[in-house]
Amino acid sequence: MDFNLVELVKHMSVPVILTNIFMIVMGLFALYIIFERYATFKKATTENVGYVHALRAALSSRNMDAALQQAQAHTKSPIARVMEGALKAVKSGQAAQAKYGPNDVGEFDVIDALNRTLDRIKERETLNLRKGLGGLGTVATITPFVGLFGTVLGIINAFGLLKGGGTIDTVGPAIAEALLSTAVGLLVAIIAAIYFNLYTTKVESIAVDMNDVSSEFVDFVLLEGRA
């Protein structure tokens, strides 16, 4: 038998075929996550930049209504979604104080409410950004072991052929299919691990941006309150 990929697949034992199919399915699942997250992060990054510029322009003119409208327009931006909740919290708190007076709203404090809102929304947005990364990490972790399992099955088959007086012509394909399982498992794991690390770093970068913009907005509200 020729030692090419097509011939190896044709002569694979059923357990090894099933093992490789399982790894291929995991690879396709990883690719789906990779492309889906890529599109999500690309849109998020583009809209984050656009919204931050619009936000700073609106706040420089002390126009929180414009900042809120821009936040609602940038639907793919995590920063915009954080700021939408923050702006609504501030406007709601200011409206309550204007209607009832600062002494009639009890222990309510606009800044405390703002910080709680920011923390809550930032956690939710970070969790949304991490969507699918757990699956990608799982693929990166277990596929080498699945490939090793297929290798063990192939080696067992090879030893069975040796026991029957097999030669290199009969044993070779069994060893080759065993090594092929290892190669498939490593290939899937390497791709998944690379993108898991890249995307984890991207999530952390966006989280830092959300924290920076949130802190700047809290400072803005504090300065406005003192003014």
Side-chain angles (χ1 to χ4, degrees):
M1 186 191 82
D2 294 332
F3 284 88
N4 58 66
L5 184 59
V6 175
E7 290 298 322
L8 286 177
V9 172
K10 285 181 179 180
H11 292 82
M12 273 186 180
S13 60
V14 174
V16 177
I17 289 175
L18 294 176
T19 302
N20 280 275
I21 289 175
F22 178 69
M23 289 188 292
I24 290 171
V25 170
M26 293 178 67
L28 294 174
F29 171 68
L31 287 176
Y32 167 77
I33 296 174
I34 288 169
F35 286 113
E36 189 273 334
R37 287 293 90 186
Y38 174 80
T40 298
F41 292 143
K42 185 176 181 179
K43 291 177 183 177
T45 301
T46 301
E47 292 213 7
N48 278 345
V49 173
Y51 177 68
V52 168
H53 287 303
L55 175 65
R56 286 175 177 167
L59 295 184
S60 65
S61 60
R62 292 176 171 79
N63 190 344
M64 286 201 291
D65 289 330
L68 180 57
Q69 290 173 358
Q70 287 294 325
Q72 293 170 336
H74 290 75
T75 57
K76 302 298 182 181
S77 167
I79 293 177
R81 288 192 289 267
V82 170
M83 291 307 303
E84 180 181 356
L87 287 160
K88 288 180 177 178
V90 171
K91 289 173 68 66
S92 176
Q94 291 176 341
Q97 288 185 339
K99 181 177 181 180
Y100 301 107
N103 298 322
D104 297 325
V105 292
E107 298 297 324
F108 178 80
D109 182 85
V110 173
I111 299 300
D112 287 341
L114 173 60
N115 283 322
R116 287 194 298 271
T117 299
L118 286 170
D119 289 340
R120 183 172 64 252
I121 302 177
K122 283 188 293 185
E123 288 179 3
R124 184 171 68 245
E125 289 300 323
T126 302
L127 185 62
N128 288 337
L129 289 170
R130 292 184 181 277
K131 180 182 177 182
L133 296 190
L136 201 59
T138 300
V139 171
T141 301
I142 70 171
T143 44
F145 297 103
V146 177
L148 182 60
F149 177 71
T151 299
V152 170
L153 294 176
I155 294 298
I156 291 173
N157 185 38
F159 276 118
L161 295 174
L162 279 175
K163 187 176 180 180
T167 63
I168 188 62
D169 291 331
T170 55
V171 176
I175 296 176
E177 74 176 33
L179 297 177
L180 180 61
S181 296
T182 300
V184 172
L186 290 175
L187 177 63
V188 173
I190 289 170
I191 294 173
I194 289 172
Y195 280 95
F196 174 80
N197 290 326
L198 286 175
Y199 288 167
T200 298
T201 302
K202 185 64 177 177
V203 170
E204 292 173 355
S205 175
I206 295 176
V208 169
D209 291 339
M210 288 192 294
N211 288 329
D212 287 345
V213 175
S214 299
S215 297
E216 290 181 16
F217 182 65
V218 171
D219 292 340
F220 168 82
V221 174
L222 285 170
L223 291 173
E224 285 297 296
R226 290 175 183 175

